Amino acid sequence: MKLLVINGPNINMLGIREKDIYGNDSFEKLEKDIFAWAGDMGIRVEMFQSNHEGAIVDKIQEAYGNFDGIIINPAAYTHTSIAILDALKAVGIPTVEVHISDIDKREKFRAFSYVSLYAEKVIKGHGLLGYKEAMEYFVAK
């Protein structure tokens, strides 16, 4: 099994930004953890992070025929990007949406997710372990 893990804007700033919401762990730790979990589960992963909506859309399109699943934390694009939703729908790859924080318990505008209109599963508020949970979901499928 091969999974694509996509992280949207500002996820690369983990450990620096809003530690009370996102914790102290760095983006580098997240990447290291994901690769370790993948190794333990016997799956392959590719990581991608961008602060640019079009780059994320391009990466989703490139995933067509190359990945068995997508794990995506669209970050701020969760609440604004119909383009990312449309790209996911176009490629038809099973998708799990992950959020480090519980977006339902934050500002009201964060409660709606375009990506959740397509995602098979949404994981919110489990910190970095939400990515592991998403990987386990694909393995169990």
Side-chain angles (χ1 to χ4, degrees):
M1 174 180 298
K2 188 173 180 187
L3 301 176
L4 174 61
V5 180
I6 298 174
N7 283 291
N10 298 309
I11 300 298
N12 59 312
M13 299 298 287
L14 287 176
I16 299 168
R17 67 183 287 227
E18 299 173 284
K19 293 180 182 184
D20 56 320
I21 296 171
Y22 300 104
N24 293 314
D25 292 327
S26 68
F27 181 67
E28 292 75 20
K29 181 183 184 323
L30 172 63
E31 288 186 312
K32 183 184 263 188
D33 287 351
I34 288 172
F35 285 120
W37 296 327
D40 292 345
M41 293 181 211
I43 58 177
R44 293 180 296 150
V45 294
E46 180 178 320
M47 297 282 297
F48 180 77
Q49 188 279 327
S50 181
N51 296 317
H52 305 280
E53 182 180 29
I56 294 169
V57 169
D58 288 344
K59 191 65 177 178
I60 292 167
Q61 291 177 359
E62 291 168 12
Y64 182 74
N66 295 309
F67 290 91
D68 301 302
I70 295 174
I71 297 169
I72 185 168
N73 180 344
Y77 290 133
T78 300
H79 324 290
T80 64
S81 183
I82 296 168
I84 291 172
L85 168 63
D86 286 349
L88 290 167
K89 289 166 57 177
V91 299
I93 300 170
T95 299
V96 174
E97 178 181 359
V98 172
H99 296 283
I100 295 167
S101 68
D102 185 344
I103 60 174
D104 294 332
K105 294 181 179 173
R106 295 186 59 197
E107 301 94 336
K108 188 174 181 173
F109 70 86
R110 293 188 193 272
F112 178 75
S113 165
Y114 282 102
V115 172
S116 70
L117 299 175
Y118 176 76
E120 292 182 8
K121 183 172 180 68
V122 180
I123 301 166
K124 304 178 228 181
H126 297 179
L128 302 188
L129 289 175
Y131 292 86
K132 182 180 183 188
E133 186 178 332
M135 294 167 72
E136 291 169 339
Y137 170 81
F138 278 115
V139 169
K141 253 177 86 157

